[in-house]
Amino acid sequence: GIQVEQSPPDLILQEGANSTLRCNFSDSVNNLQWFHQNPWGQLINLFYIPSGTKQNGRLSATTVATERYSLLYISSSQTTDSGVYFCAVEGQGAQKLVFGQGTRLTINP
Amino acid sequence: ETGVTQTPRHLVMGMTNKKSLKCEQHLGHNAMYWYKQSAKKPLELMFVYNFKEQTENNSVPSRFSPECPNSSHLFLHLHTLQPEDSALYLCASSIGLEQFFGPGTRLTVL
């Protein structure tokens, strides 16, 4: 099945810093989503981005489907950005999201 | 608030108990999913339902029994669970490819 690899596994930054999270995947995808999991376990949708670039406030994402990777950018980080960020993909012909191991982001004041 | 609700939010049960998890979506979606998130493993799919029909069972043990009476409701019936089944159980729904998740039920099996 399709493999998803996220890097880095952990990232610690000061408030105000910028960060880039990476997601590599092993095959063509129909769907790619970025989520933020809050401390209570809720998965919050950030982007649905199987290809192209999207921006939402301080967050933006780019997926280069031909090279099988996606990047999530967080600018001017705030302490509320802390948590685990997951990339999940759905391979062609498969109706299920396969999740990466996540990147744990800690923003210190 | 994603439009997907789950109850209960927390559940503690013994290995001989029978309990059920409930998921409801208010988004008009036609597909619903159960995922499991264990402490040491990535989120993994358990079941998929499309228009109330089960279309995927990801080799889940029979002590987990899903039920989908209509496109808005999804249950996970639990019986004779093991301590290693303790995890966060997440429900999701979709109408296209993008999936939306509920807040999860944190299950502890004693």
Side-chain angles (χ1 to χ4, degrees), chain B:
Chain B
E1 180 63 46
T2 63
V4 182
T5 59
Q6 290 187 242
T7 54
R9 295 293 308 277
H10 300 270
L11 179 62
V12 179
M13 61 185 289
M15 289 190 285
T16 57
N17 292 157
K18 289 184 181 181
K19 297 286 184 184
S20 296
L21 310 185
K22 179 182 176 182
C23 175
E24 184 173 358
Q25 57 95 1
H26 312 274
L27 301 169
H29 291 172
N30 53 32
M32 296 188 77
Y33 312 77
W34 280 116
Y35 288 84
K36 175 182 178 182
Q37 186 176 28
S38 305
K40 303 294 183 186
K41 296 172 69 175
L43 266 146
E44 54 184 346
L45 178 75
M46 300 175 74
F47 302 102
V48 181
Y49 277 82
N50 281 284
F51 296 99
K52 305 187 297 178
E53 300 299 320
Q54 186 181 125
T55 54
E56 177 104 19
N57 176 337
N58 199 27
S59 302
V60 180
S62 60
R63 58 186 184 270
F64 295 91
S65 175
E67 179 190 1
C68 188
N70 55 61
S71 293
S72 298
H73 294 85
L74 184 65
F75 296 89
L76 188 62
H77 303 300
L78 316 171
H79 64 98
T80 59
L81 294 191
Q82 305 299 311
E84 58 265 29
D85 296 322
S86 299
L88 180 67
Y89 289 84
L90 290 158
C91 172
S93 70
S94 69
I95 190 164
L97 293 176
E98 188 176 7
Q99 294 185 26
F100 294 84
F101 284 77
T105 295
R106 193 165 295 279
L107 174 67
T108 302
V109 182
L110 301 176

Side-chain angles (χ1 to χ4, degrees), chain A:
Chain A
I2 197 165
Q3 306 294 316
V4 184
E5 200 173 295
Q6 290 186 244
S7 60
D10 292 279
L11 186 57
I12 301 174
L13 298 171
Q14 290 298 120
E15 203 166 21
N18 300 329
S19 57
T20 301
L21 282 58
R22 187 176 179 103
C23 172
N24 292 333
F25 45 95
S26 61
D27 206 344
S28 301
V29 298
N30 286 333
N31 178 12
L32 188 148
Q33 292 183 243
W34 282 99
F35 297 93
H36 176 209
Q37 189 168 40
N38 66 22
W40 299 273
Q42 171 83 60
L43 282 173
I44 299 163
N45 289 44
L46 297 179
F47 294 102
Y48 165 69
I49 187 166
S51 64
T53 297
K54 291 186 177 180
Q55 179 156 7
N56 184 3
R58 297 182 295 104
L59 274 61
S60 63
T62 295
T63 297
V64 184
T66 52
E67 297 187 23
R68 299 182 183 166
Y69 73 88
S70 184
L71 301 173
L72 176 69
Y73 305 97
I74 304 174
S75 64
S76 305
S77 299
Q78 300 175 359
T79 55
T80 52
D81 294 330
S82 296
V84 183
Y85 289 80
F86 288 102
C87 168
V89 304
E90 184 174 305
Q92 291 181 347
Q95 190 187 3
K96 65 177 184 180
L97 283 175
V98 176
F99 282 77
Q101 294 272 18
T103 292
R104 182 173 297 278
L105 177 64
T106 303
I107 305 298
N108 291 321

